[in-house]
Amino acid sequence: MNFTTIEGHERPITILKRALAGKTLAQAYLFSGEAGVGKKMTALALAAAVNCMNSGIEGGCGACPSCGRVAALTHPDVHVVMPEREDARLLSTWSSKEVARASDEIKIDQIRQAQDRISLKPFEGSKNILIIDGAETLNVAAQNAFLKTLEEPPGTALIILVTSMPQSLLPTIRSRCQEIRFQPLPRSTLAQALVKKRGLPEEDAWFLAALSQGSMGRALEMDVEREKAAREELVSLWDGLGQMGPGEVLAQAEAFAKDRDRFERLLDNGVERLRDALVFRTTRNETLLVYGRGADRFRQWGAQVPLQRMLADLELFTTSRGLLDRRVSTQLVAENLLLKLGR
């Protein structure tokens, strides 16, 4: 486990390497950026570098017992706190009833336990390292309790907050951390990593890299065939709306209401399809498309559909996504979308 295992993020890693070399590490960091871009991996790489037995220019050596324990999340001086529902190791020890009650928040009891741990002398390394993964899920009581630790951190502690929503944290917490921003990864970086890590054909790797919106975690989890099938479903539905009667459209909306995830994918795919159509209409460059084999379809579609209609449909999809995020009824949003698309 070291910085060489991190894809991209040259600027954040350079900042951390310089701090390590100059022995000027802050006592508290805030790693912010989109979900899945590599913030937690970088936090673990920093933890490995700090407590490695043979650290060098790339941080931890990746071979000593300390680096191995950090990678396995078993190092006695590296403590990772996350919501109960995200902690697979914890959930594996619970009964089904306990799992059903697992919290989506980081609670005050978890913070107090972490405070106790980092107040002790490190067991084998030079520092006690606390990583708060998903810091945006700290409830108000937990944030207030944690603030005391940030105001007077133990001298042997290094604290790293990892979040995709830094604005959800109290200003007093953010002000006591050095924030390092992680940008979405370039499409080329993601595609190369997918070819190497998953053995995907180059075209499929570029396809998933575009869909993942700069997130390595998302790209590694996506199923190529499922994503292709979802796009074909969208095209088939969209093309058929004009021939459907109002009853059929409402029945389709009701089906989406029963499967919100499927409807969310439809909305995301609709935005991507319109984005591709507009890009191809403007540039005629097939390499800029999310799914590179769509040029013929977009060439034909662009000749049939006026630009103003494409822009209006794009606004309709993005507005529908926003309504869902604000917890408006899925069925109402689906009905409005499908009826307007089929007009």
Side-chain angles (χ1 to χ4, degrees):
M1 168 69 68
N2 59 29
F3 292 125
T4 63
T5 63
I6 310 299
E7 300 286 349
H9 301 308
E10 288 80 7
R11 183 177 179 276
I13 289 172
T14 297
I15 291 171
L16 296 173
K17 284 182 178 179
R18 286 176 179 168
L20 283 164
K23 301 186 185 304
T24 56
L25 279 176
Q27 282 201 290
Y29 285 98
L30 175 62
F31 287 2
S32 64
E34 294 295 325
V37 296
K39 304 182 298 299
K40 182 181 177 182
M41 286 290 293
T42 305
L44 290 170
L46 177 58
V50 169
N51 283 333
C52 178
M53 300 172 179
N54 306 296
S55 61
I57 191 171
E58 294 299 339
C61 67
C64 70
S66 178
C67 286
R69 285 193 284 273
V70 172
L73 302 181
T74 58
H75 197 291
D77 302 323
V78 179
H79 316 285
V80 181
V81 177
M82 64 187 77
E84 292 171 344
R85 194 170 294 280
E86 302 297 325
D87 192 339
R89 187 171 299 181
L90 174 67
L91 294 178
S92 68
T93 66
W94 283 9
S95 69
S96 58
K97 289 184 179 180
E98 289 173 319
V99 170
R101 293 196 301 267
S103 176
D104 293 323
E105 295 181 328
I106 295 175
K107 298 182 291 187
I108 191 170
D109 288 346
Q110 293 172 272
I111 291 302
R112 285 174 174 159
Q113 289 174 9
Q115 289 169 325
D116 290 342
R117 289 171 183 166
I118 64 173
S119 68
L120 302 174
K121 182 179 178 181
F123 184 74
E124 65 176 48
S126 61
K127 283 185 179 291
N128 266 315
I129 299 167
L130 174 60
I131 299 172
I132 307 291
D133 185 24
E136 69 277 3
T137 65
L138 284 159
N139 63 31
V140 175
Q143 289 196 49
N144 284 321
F146 192 53
L147 184 57
K148 297 176 183 178
T149 299
L150 289 174
E151 289 172 343
E152 299 179 9
T156 57
L158 171 62
I159 299 168
I160 308 169
L161 281 71
V162 176
T163 181
S164 59
M165 298 174 64
Q167 69 277 8
S168 67
L169 296 171
L170 294 173
T172 44
I173 286 183
R174 294 183 65 180
S175 67
R176 285 167 172 76
C177 300
Q178 180 179 330
E179 184 169 0
I180 298 181
R181 178 74 183 173
F182 287 69
Q183 300 298 331
L185 292 167
R187 187 176 178 183
S188 58
T189 300
L190 285 169
Q192 291 168 12
L194 289 171
V195 169
K196 180 173 65 176
K197 295 184 178 194
R198 293 183 56 179
L200 293 177
E202 188 172 338
E203 183 175 325
D204 287 346
W206 276 86
F207 172 53
L208 291 188
L211 295 182
S212 66
Q213 300 176 335
S215 169
M216 178 65 73
R218 196 177 297 129
L220 291 172
E221 291 174 357
M222 282 181 169
D223 182 277
V224 177
E225 296 307 319
R226 181 187 179 192
E227 296 301 331
K228 289 179 181 178
R231 273 142 195 80
E232 290 304 318
E233 178 189 23
L234 169 67
V235 172
S236 177
L237 174 63
W238 204 335
D239 290 346
L241 282 173
Q243 286 73 51
M244 289 185 187
E248 292 175 284
V249 173
L250 294 177
Q252 185 65 63
E254 185 177 353
F256 281 126
K258 295 176 181 177
D259 190 348
R260 182 188 168 102
D261 288 344
R262 177 171 164 244
F263 185 53
E264 288 180 349
R265 289 198 301 275
L266 178 98
L267 292 176
D268 292 341
N269 293 341
V271 170
E272 288 156 7
R273 186 189 188 203
L274 286 159
R275 176 260 179 205
D276 272 2
L278 291 165
V279 167
F280 188 74
R281 186 183 186 118
T282 304
T283 67
R284 293 291 190 250
N285 186 346
E286 190 171 349
T287 64
L288 298 177
L289 304 181
V290 169
Y291 191 31
R293 293 185 299 186
D296 291 341
R297 176 179 290 167
F298 289 125
R299 190 178 288 110
Q300 180 182 9
W301 198 38
Q304 296 172 346
V305 181
L307 176 61
Q308 289 304 315
R309 175 61 188 267
M310 287 187 183
L311 293 172
D313 285 347
L314 180 60
E315 183 177 1
L316 178 60
F317 272 98
T318 54
T319 299
S320 297
R321 194 66 170 89
L323 290 172
L324 269 195
D325 291 341
R326 292 197 294 275
R327 301 196 180 280
V328 176
S329 163
T330 302
Q331 182 160 343
L332 290 177
V333 175
E335 288 176 1
N336 180 65
L337 173 76
L338 297 180
L339 288 170
K340 286 184 177 180
L341 284 178
R343 68 188 185 277

